[in-house]
Structures are given as C-alpha cells and as structure tokens.
Amino acid sequence: MAEPRGTRWALGLEYDGNGFCGWQRQLDQDSVQGVVEAALSQVAQCPISVVVAGRTDTGVHALCQVVHFDSPVVRRPDAWVRGANTALPAGVALRWARVVPDSFHARFSATARRYRYVILNRREKSALWRNHTAWIYSPLDVEAMQAAAQTLLGTHDFSAFRASACQAKSPVRNLCQLRVVRRGDLIAVDAEANGFLHHMVRNLVGVLIAIGKADRPVDWAAEVLASRDRCRAGVTAPPGGLYFVAPRYPAEFGLPVDAVDAGFLTGD
C-alpha cells in the first residue's frame, strides 16, 4: 500500500533570474528549482520536490511564480516562508504559503499565465536597469506597437513565435491580452494567454520592437502569424526584460495571485 503523501501546499515566490540557468533543475548549474527544493527540504528535514506553474529560461524573472508540493511533515505557513527564506539565496524569496486540496496542480489547474516584458527606451544605457530590462536606444513608436499587438489577439496557431526546441504538442494558444504602454523611458508589454510556447513572449516582443523602430509596417505582425514560419518572425528579444507575473487559478483555491501588482516596473 502506498504511503500517504501528506498535506499539499501551494507557494508563491519571486526571483531574479540573473545568476540562474533558469527554473528547471540542471546538473552542475544553479537553478531556481534547485535552491527552492533545497530550502524546503531543510525546513521539512526530508526531501521535497516541487511542481511549477510555468518554467522560465535563463535570466527571466518572476513576481509570483507558483509551485505545489506534498509535505509528509506538519509545518505552519509562516514556518515554510520564514524557514525557506533563511536558507534561500538573495535572488529568491517565498511570499506566501497556503494549504490546497489534493486536486490542485500548480501547472494543470492554471487557467492562464501572465507575463510582462520591460524595455528601457532611451539613448543612454542604465547602470540600475541593465539586468532587468531590454535596452533599445532607437526611439520606439508605442502606438504602432499597440496597433500591431491587437492583430495577434485570439486563438491562433503561433508556430511563427515558438522556439525550434519547443516541446509543446500543439502550437495553438489563446492570447487574450497583448498590451503596450509607455511610462517615461520604460515601455511594458503585457501578455496573457491560456499558455505560452517556448520563447513565445520574447518572439512576440521581437516583432513588436521591429515595428516600433519602423523597420517593419504594422501589418507585418499579422503576416508573420499567418505564415506559421519561425524564420519570418525576426529576432528573439533578450531574456532580461521578461517577468513571469503570475498564473491565474479558479477562485475556489483562494490563492493570492490576482493581487500581484507589476506596476512598479513602469510606474503605473
């Protein structure tokens, strides 16, 4: 007979992607998953493995990444948060811990995922934003970028915006938000979909940047989408400007993911 797996927990965490090989555990490389599991295992005093809402690549950040795990030991929510934060490196922090039913799954229970891509658009480089934005020194036409973004909304085959190494079984996704806003020198591109393909957000942003620089017309975005050809989509935007904002879950789980405010990144 299988042993009972104990209490299922959901955790919200934030991290700075610099210095990590990405979320997924890798041999001989520092990963966010690796340090999170090591910290939780220290609190539990037994091995803990976590399941994540959405894996992120090298250099990509998160405001409210969500994981779940089954704990064979009893701990209070604040014990998980404070204990793990004591063991975690400076670039990773737990924000909250909640008991969830066994039916909850960090990945499969999510109904949508949200990303924000931040561009520093000015002539001079930045000492403070260098690892947390994409620096584009050529002036960008935000109105043109926003107009192009609207042509990509809806349910489509996003093959033109997926990486060659993408392992998703289907390239069809429902992109329900793609919004471009400027606040001073910072431009934010907000994207929300039921799921994203590998490099999809960064490839979408790469197309919008080309349009914002007037290297391509507004209708080029729709042409790229219709082509279903990754070779038509141009440059992949760098990872440093990308933030996993949060997943969305049914209200029945009561998780505080909708309270995440990414406004500080653009001054909203």
Side-chain angles (χ1 to χ4, degrees):
M1 179 180 297
E3 294 184 1
R5 61 189 179 190
T7 303
R8 178 157 292 189
W9 288 87
L11 304 178
L13 59 142
E14 64 183 27
Y15 52 83
D16 182 333
N18 292 294
F20 294 103
C21 67
W23 166 264
Q24 191 170 8
R25 190 190 311 108
Q26 302 286 340
L27 292 175
D28 302 321
Q29 296 186 69
D30 290 333
S31 68
V32 182
Q33 181 181 10
V35 298
V36 169
E37 289 180 341
L40 294 174
S41 298
Q42 183 171 318
V43 176
Q45 296 184 326
C46 65
I48 296 291
S49 298
V50 301
V51 177
V52 71
R55 291 181 296 180
T56 52
D57 291 332
T58 302
V60 176
H61 320 293
L63 301 180
C64 184
Q65 180 67 270
V66 174
V67 302
H68 84 255
F69 68 95
D70 297 316
S71 173
V73 299
V74 176
R75 296 287 186 271
R76 300 186 314 275
D78 62 332
W80 289 116
V81 174
R82 295 179 182 178
N85 280 340
T86 299
L88 284 167
V92 185
L94 264 62
R95 299 291 307 277
W96 49 262
R98 300 284 191 278
V99 173
V100 289
D102 289 348
S103 60
F104 175 80
H105 192 284
R107 177 184 175 191
F108 297 126
S109 296
T111 58
R113 291 163 179 81
R114 292 171 280 168
Y115 284 87
R116 171 166 283 193
Y117 195 93
V118 184
I119 301 166
L120 177 66
N121 188 215
R122 71 184 193 193
R123 294 295 300 177
E124 304 81 23
K125 70 175 185 178
S126 172
L128 300 178
W129 284 101
R130 68 188 186 281
N131 293 322
H132 296 92
T133 62
W135 175 41
I136 306 295
Y137 59 83
S138 300
L140 294 176
D141 183 342
V142 170
E143 291 185 2
M145 295 169 70
Q146 173 66 9
Q150 301 314 292
T151 68
L152 301 173
L153 295 176
T155 301
H156 304 288
D157 181 330
F158 283 94
S159 291
F161 297 93
R162 71 188 296 185
S164 59
C166 182
Q167 299 178 354
K169 294 181 179 178
S170 171
V172 176
R173 295 292 186 270
N174 178 20
L175 184 64
C176 59
Q177 182 187 61
L178 190 61
R179 182 185 67 153
V180 186
V181 295
R182 178 188 284 275
R183 293 292 184 273
D185 292 332
L186 295 177
I187 297 172
V189 180
D190 288 313
E192 180 172 345
N194 62 340
F196 288 91
L197 303 168
H198 192 200
H199 287 177
M200 179 173 162
V201 177
R202 291 167 58 192
N203 290 334
L204 288 166
V205 173
V207 164
L208 296 180
I209 288 174
I211 291 170
K213 293 166 67 175
D215 292 339
R216 297 283 189 170
V218 169
D219 58 7
W220 180 60
E223 293 175 4
V224 170
L225 177 66
S227 75
R228 301 182 183 179
D229 181 359
R230 174 68 193 101
C231 296
R232 296 283 302 277
V235 176
T236 301
L242 184 58
Y243 295 76
F244 182 91
V245 175
R248 293 194 190 275
Y249 295 106
E252 64 194 75
F253 294 120
L255 299 181
V257 293
D258 289 332
V260 173
D261 179 14
F264 75 95
L265 294 171
T266 59
D268 289 350

